[in-house]
Amino acid sequence: SPGEWADILVKEGYRATVFPVNYLAKDSVIDAYMKAAKDRDILLAEIGIWDSPFQKDPVKAELVIKKSYRSLELADHVGASCCVNVSGGTGDPWYFLDKGNFGDEIYQRNVEFIQTMLDKVKPKNTYFTLEPMQWMPIVVRRRILMRFGCEK
């Protein structure tokens, strides 16, 4: 139950956590977890998307786009510090190193996807963040950060 979940976090000394349910959960379940965390002063740190909207299969890609928007909406609703994903990869599986992950085309697709998602969701209580994969060279990371004004 949400109360048991939050009590375990407190007992173990945690003050922050990932949100334990996704956007498919019933509103009553989401609200119960929000309340349990708030009542115990537990920070909802993140909601993870962990998938790429650039899947080769267009049906899968569309599902990930929906998942991304809904996850960001949920993060905003619960007041999570962030909704996090990796920069969308082109490989199969999406999180593997793939030569398609490094070109100008995928960079531009990522920028456009993120801008469109932020424009549609308009989050007010959370941030959308990118987490670099271990294979992502520092040059690509810096380029993405600079594009969004996060690094000079």
Side-chain angles (χ1 to χ4, degrees):
S1 76
E4 292 170 322
W5 162 79
D7 287 341
I8 290 168
L9 291 170
V10 170
K11 179 183 174 205
E12 296 297 324
Y14 293 102
R15 298 288 320 277
T17 186
V18 298
F19 197 65
V21 297
N22 68 24
Y23 67 92
L24 297 171
K26 293 180 181 178
D27 289 346
S28 60
V29 172
I30 291 169
D31 292 343
Y33 277 101
M34 281 176 56
K35 182 178 184 330
K38 183 177 181 182
D39 289 351
R40 290 158 184 86
D41 196 30
I42 297 169
L43 173 74
L44 300 175
E46 73 178 33
I47 290 177
I49 297 169
W50 309 126
D51 215 335
S52 174
F54 310 123
Q55 303 276 341
K56 290 182 168 87
D57 177 340
V59 173
K60 285 183 184 177
E62 192 56 41
L63 289 173
V64 174
I65 290 169
K66 178 183 176 184
K67 175 184 176 183
S68 300
Y69 286 20
R70 297 288 310 278
S71 295
L72 182 57
E73 289 167 350
L74 177 61
D76 197 51
H77 173 72
V78 304
S81 297
C82 70
C83 180
V84 62
N85 202 4
V86 297
S87 180
T90 61
D92 186 24
W94 65 269
Y95 49 84
F96 276 15
L97 175 64
D98 185 82
K99 67 179 180 181
N101 294 342
F102 299 101
D104 289 338
E105 178 187 347
I106 194 65
Y107 170 79
Q108 191 58 41
R109 287 175 71 193
N110 271 294
V111 169
E112 290 170 6
F113 173 75
I114 293 166
Q115 286 176 330
T116 300
M117 181 174 63
L118 291 172
D119 288 346
K120 287 187 179 194
V121 175
K122 296 183 182 1
K124 294 178 178 42
N125 304 304
T126 195
Y127 293 95
F128 177 73
T129 60
L130 289 175
E131 181 173 287
M133 296 294 282
Q134 64 275 15
W135 46 256
M136 186 183 270
I138 193 69
V139 174
V140 176
R141 288 185 216 169
R142 213 172 262 138
R143 185 175 176 190
I144 290 170
L145 291 171
M146 287 174 58
R147 173 63 178 91
F148 287 99
C150 299
E151 185 176 294
K152 295 181 181 178

